[in-house]
Structure formats: C-alpha cells, structure tokens
Amino acid sequence: MPMPATALIAAAQTLRESLRPLRFAAPVEYVYQPLDYAWAPHETYLRRFGSSKKRVVLVGMNPGPFGMTQTGVPFGEIAAVRDWMGIHEPVGKPEREHPKRPVVGFDCPNSEVSGRRLWGLFAQRFGKAEAFFADHFVANYCPLVFIEASGRNFTPDKLPAAETITMEAACDAHLRSVITALQPEWVIGVGAFAEERANRAKETLRGTFKTGRVLHPSPASPAANRDWAGAATKQLVKLGVWE
C-alpha cells in the first residue's frame, strides 16, 4: 500500500480513539461515530483514493445524515459512493441510535443533497472517479454526527466552546496529518467553518499550501440552491485551483 494511504488510515484511527470518550450536553442527545460502525467503507475510500499526493484537498465540516453517516465517506451520498467510486462495504450500527435517524448503510433510501451536488460536479467535470482523485481528495474536519432529541441534525459550529476544546484539538491534529500525508498545493474549505480550520492548520504547519473556500452545497443555503455547481466552479477558477 502506498505511503499516503497508510498515513491517512493511521490518522483516522487516532482520531476515532481520541473522540471516543467525549460526551456532549443537550441539545445533543445522540452522537454517531461513522469511523466506528462504517469503518470498512471509510478505510476502502482512504486506501483506494488516498494512495498518492494531491494538488487539492477539499475539507467539509462533519457528516450529513444521509451521507457519511450512512456510508463512512465524506459527503457520501449513496449513489456517488456505490456507483461512481465503486465502494460498497458492510456498515454496522451506532451504539445508541435515534429511532428517527436509523443507520441502514447502503440501503438508505434518502439522498444527501450536499453530497449529490458535490460529487455530481466532480463526476461531470472529471468523468471517472479515478480522474478526479488523481489530483484531488475530499476529507471531513469532524467525523462525528450530532443529533437532537427531535431527530434534527446539530452542526459542530453550534457547540459551546467549552465542549469543543478536546474535540477540535483532535480534529485539528487529524487535518494536519491529512495535509502532511497528501502534501497539497491547495486546501479548500467547503464552507466558511472548514476554511477557518484550514487556515488554522496552515498557521500551525507554517504551510506553503494555499487556502480558500467554496460555497457549501447544503440545501439550507439559499445561494447553494441557485446553481451550486456553477457557483463553486467559478470560485475554484477564480482562486486558480481549476482552469
């Protein structure tokens, strides 16, 4: 196995163990850890697509309910992971599961809109997954899924600072490990939160890589619902990431 993938797998295992003991207060009632129950597809993703240095690493915030939560792959919309990347591995269950938010792995009937938009753009621009991953990689800053009692998704940017110190220290260390393994020229945050974390990594690593951001493809963002692919492409071209 080429070296970067070995480093990525070790970094993901370290992150998983660092986050395991953490507990969170209300409104967070359930915490899912896809690096535990969906390790098989996650490791396959790292091994298959993280085996060489990259020019561009894109970083998301944390798993969406029908994406990485189900498939273990960042922004991991089922069809994109199964049909485009060719990854279809067994997925287990979180320790505590919200009845309204079951993990059913690749049998999930719902579509992760953010993932459909993100991977859809890359498939449209690059054709085969191998062509995209030759130069690009997609990672997530935090692998934890936070769910409120109602079943609503809770994002880590809303957690109180006191609860995030240990979590962010582990996630920051993991992001630095990903960057060190893949040696990118660009680290692009998918959304402002992830861009901020990329800038933090750059300061600590005193990196020679450049940072930037693209609009987050979430359907919660009105701007993303007006031709997200077009907007993201323009941003990447303007930065000089894409031609």
Side-chain angles (χ1 to χ4, degrees), residues 2 24 34 38-40 46 54 57 78 88 99 105 124 134 142 171 205 208 214 227 230 237:
F24 300 87
W39 177 252
L46 299 180
K54 308 293 177 190
V57 171
I78 307 284
H88 191 179
Q124 189 188 343
C142 174
C171 295
L205 290 170
T208 53
V214 293
D227 184 25
V237 170

Side-chain angles (χ1 to χ4, degrees), residues 15 18 31-32 52 58 61 68 93 106 149 181 196 212 214-215 223 228 231:
L15 178 61
S18 306
V31 179
Y32 293 4
S52 61
L58 295 110
M61 179 161 57
M68 186 173 177
K93 288 273 188 189
F106 286 85
E196 215 175 276
V214 293
L215 177 67
W228 176 82

Side-chain angles (χ1 to χ4, degrees), residues 70-222:
Q70 304 292 338
T71 64
V73 172
F75 291 95
E77 210 256 339
I78 307 284
V81 176
R82 184 191 58 214
D83 307 333
W84 192 59
M85 297 179 209
I87 296 172
H88 191 179
E89 300 284 346
V91 172
K93 288 273 188 189
E95 279 176 25
R96 278 182 72 237
E97 194 175 55
H98 193 295
K100 287 187 186 166
R101 285 280 172 261
V103 170
V104 292
F106 286 85
D107 295 328
C108 179
N110 304 74
S111 175
E112 180 72 45
V113 177
S114 295
R116 194 171 74 224
R117 288 174 175 170
L118 186 95
W119 296 115
L121 167 60
F122 301 152
Q124 189 188 343
R125 188 174 175 97
F126 292 90
K128 288 192 158 69
E130 289 71 19
F132 169 76
F133 285 108
D135 252 355
H136 297 70
F137 190 76
V138 178
N140 249 341
Y141 174 72
C142 174
L144 299 179
V145 185
F146 304 96
I147 302 168
E148 297 178 19
S150 66
R152 203 168 73 149
N153 198 40
F154 186 90
T155 51
D157 54 329
K158 297 188 181 79
L159 287 166
E163 282 192 22
T164 63
I165 293 165
T166 310
M167 180 188 87
E168 293 220 344
C171 295
D172 283 339
H174 175 258
L175 181 57
R176 291 194 299 269
S177 296
V178 170
I179 292 166
T180 303
L182 297 176
Q183 297 288 303
E185 183 186 325
W186 285 97
V187 179
I188 301 293
V190 182
F193 176 93
E195 182 193 26
E196 215 175 276
R197 301 315 183 267
N199 286 331
R200 209 147 77 182
K202 186 176 179 176
E203 272 170 42
T204 312
L205 290 170
R206 297 197 173 89
T208 53
F209 59 89
K210 294 168 277 198
T211 58
R213 89 163 95 145
V214 293
L215 177 67
H216 197 286
S218 168
S221 150

